[in-house]
Amino acid sequence: MQQTVETTITSDAAAAPVVRQFRQILIWPLQLMPLKEDAAVRAHWELLEQQQDADAPVWTALTDEFPDDPAAVQERHYREFVTFLPHAQRFLYGERASRTTRTSYGDSPIKIYRRRDVREVRVTMTAGAPPLTLTIAHIDLYFFFDVDVVMLVFEMAGADLPLSTAHDLIHRFGRAYPSGWAASGEGANCPAKVEWLDERGKVLAVSDFDDRAKFTAAVCRSIAPAIAAHWEFLLKPLRLNHEDITGTLRYRQLEHYRMPMMVYLAVDNPRGLTRADYVRLGLAVPAFNRTGLPYSEAFLRDFETRYCYDRYHDPARGGDWVDTRVICTGHTLVAVGDVGEAVFTDPERGFLAQFRHQIFLVGMIAHFHRAALLMMSDRLVSIITRLDVRDHDSVRSFRRDIREMQEVFLRFSHRYWFSEVSDQAMVRDLSRMWSDHLALKSLYAGLRDEIGDMSHYLDSDMLRRQSTTIVRLTVVTMLSILGTVSTGFLGMNLFAMADQPASFQLSVFFVVLTVTTLLTYVVLRRSQPLSEFLDAVSDPRAGVRAHLSALVRVLWSKRRR
């Protein structure tokens, strides 16, 4: 893939390391808002298909990478498949049985849609700087069955970039909105300008990081941030949730405004990179200079042991050794290697193929796990916020919503949650690093405990209600015994009405039924003081005065709430 830099490189820049091959993959998880219960659409991707022009859709579903004809399968697809353990394979690719029966979620619980109209991106780092044009490899949306999460996957590629430019791209690109503004009006830490281009070079959308009024107004109006114009364009027809547009796919942010990323850099001499270069690459720090560390030595004391995967990194070793370093911080994964080694740059059998497929899928799974857990945690907060214990309808809705969340969490745990994805050493180790840095196990345990606490509350509330009902039924039964025993002792009917006309018998029946119903109603209304009266009578330490006081409360006390 080719990249053009509309500038001349100075002699100083030429002396600096040059990135011969550059790739950056953004993985941006977003929370999808639930569809209406009465909607005909069963899944978000179905609504995506409905809201597009059938003749010229923006997003098109990707075809199966494993077609029925074995000759059409590429070797890298096979290598990718066998990298993962069986449970991860079923998650990523589905099963042949489901292909035959055509289950409701198709071949896999993942649905991928791709847009092909945006072919290049033109980035201007700072005002007045020459623009940089890079090729876009693909733009995808990943939907997941039964989980309200969508992931935007964006990959771009360039060549022959000064290392300082690569630093800036890693630091500035991939921000959903600015964190603030400089005195000049530019968005802080953002590119001055980002433009999406089609295959003819026509501008499709332009960033608006410098539109301070737009972003501040969104926070004041909706207590939610706005999204930069070029990212809004890329996500259409998805719309921000606070725009409150009915009948559309709506989303909102789950995490920080900086999108998680993966970066691949092939350089002439990896051994020429300094420790400061690796720190800036791994921590996505801008390249102010190459002579010193961006942070203190004390802060970076454990940088190598905590973030660097150095199975194939040994600068002192020569010969046929291919020096490759991978830095994983959770938010970023950066791989640096030698451009002169085919084992690192081969797009079919080398590390590049592994980076774009196996390692990408590991990162996608890790960020999907985190996004799904955060989404469910956000739903719990929303459910608790709507609870009003004084409102019976609110309590009833709360009980129903918590039961649904338990079902969602249970399905997520059994369908999507797994801690091991591969037995291949590097893939397995990077998966564990990613999981540890994203704190997935603690997030999962915390969410499980929260749902367990709410379930315990519901069970306790149900037992309390059952206990109250049993007390009321006991009171009614006790009072009913009086009449039952009195009439049963005689062994006969009190009144001989067998010879009376049928109309008279029916009249007496309805009168007795009405009186009995009213009496039962009154007893139920006074069941709590009646139960207290029965407790007082059954207490051997209570005297006659206590019994009479309890009886008075039955007759005249107000109903307690």
Side-chain angles (χ1 to χ4, degrees), residues 304-557:
E304 282 78 12
T305 56
R306 186 178 182 185
Y307 299 120
C308 296
Y309 184 71
D310 288 341
R311 177 184 287 266
Y312 304 109
H313 176 67
D314 187 357
R317 185 171 175 178
D320 58 352
W321 179 259
V322 180
D323 189 80
T324 302
R325 168 171 267 191
V326 180
I327 308 170
C328 179
T329 67
H331 177 267
T332 61
L333 182 137
V334 179
V336 182
D338 193 338
V339 70
E341 298 291 343
V343 69
F344 184 74
T345 59
D346 191 330
E348 290 294 328
R349 297 179 175 84
F351 181 86
L352 177 57
Q354 196 171 17
F355 174 86
R356 297 186 64 206
H357 300 95
Q358 289 96 312
I359 298 177
F360 159 72
L361 289 176
V362 170
M364 186 271 293
I365 291 173
H367 286 289
F368 164 69
H369 282 170
R370 181 173 176 84
L373 293 171
L374 291 176
M375 179 273 295
M376 286 185 279
S377 180
D378 180 79
R379 291 281 174 81
L380 287 179
V381 173
S382 177
I383 292 171
I384 288 292
T385 303
R386 295 195 301 267
L387 174 63
D388 183 358
V389 294
R390 297 166 298 182
D391 185 350
H392 293 294
D393 292 336
S394 175
V395 174
R396 191 180 302 109
S397 298
F398 174 78
R399 188 180 299 110
R400 183 186 64 248
D401 292 341
I402 291 300
R403 296 302 182 194
E404 290 178 355
M405 277 303 305
Q406 285 181 306
E407 294 175 5
V408 171
F409 182 73
L410 183 63
R411 289 194 294 268
F412 169 80
S413 297
H414 289 274
R415 179 180 290 146
Y416 298 123
W417 179 254
F418 36 81
S419 57
E420 297 290 338
V421 299
S422 175
D423 274 340
Q424 290 189 11
M426 183 175 69
V427 177
R428 180 193 61 220
D429 295 343
L430 289 178
S431 175
R432 291 174 180 173
M433 288 182 68
W434 239 317
S435 176
D436 292 342
H437 289 313
L438 294 177
L440 296 182
K441 292 182 179 179
S442 61
L443 274 176
Y444 180 85
L447 181 64
R448 182 184 56 197
D449 292 343
E450 290 177 7
I451 294 178
D453 290 342
M454 293 188 179
S455 177
H456 179 69
Y457 165 77
L458 292 179
D459 293 340
S460 300
D461 183 67
M462 182 178 297
L463 290 175
R464 180 186 61 81
R465 291 174 179 272
Q466 290 176 351
S467 176
T468 302
T469 301
I470 291 173
V471 168
R472 291 173 178 172
L473 292 176
T474 302
V475 170
V476 173
T477 303
M478 288 292 295
L479 295 180
S480 300
I481 288 176
L482 300 177
T484 302
V485 172
S486 299
T487 57
F489 179 77
L490 298 175
M492 63 183 72
N493 296 327
L494 292 179
F495 304 100
M497 294 187 181
D499 298 332
Q500 299 296 328
S503 59
F504 180 78
Q505 294 182 23
L506 287 175
S507 299
V508 172
F509 169 77
F510 283 112
V511 169
V512 174
L513 178 63
T514 303
V515 173
T516 305
T517 302
L518 290 175
L519 182 60
T520 305
Y521 173 76
V522 172
V523 171
L524 287 174
R525 291 280 294 181
R526 310 300 295 175
S527 59
Q528 184 171 345
L530 279 170
S531 66
E532 294 174 358
F533 170 72
L534 294 177
D535 290 339
V537 172
S538 63
D539 188 357
R541 296 172 297 177
V544 176
R545 181 175 296 179
H547 298 169
L548 293 175
S549 298
L551 182 59
V552 170
R553 286 195 297 271
V554 172
L555 299 176
W556 286 284
S557 64

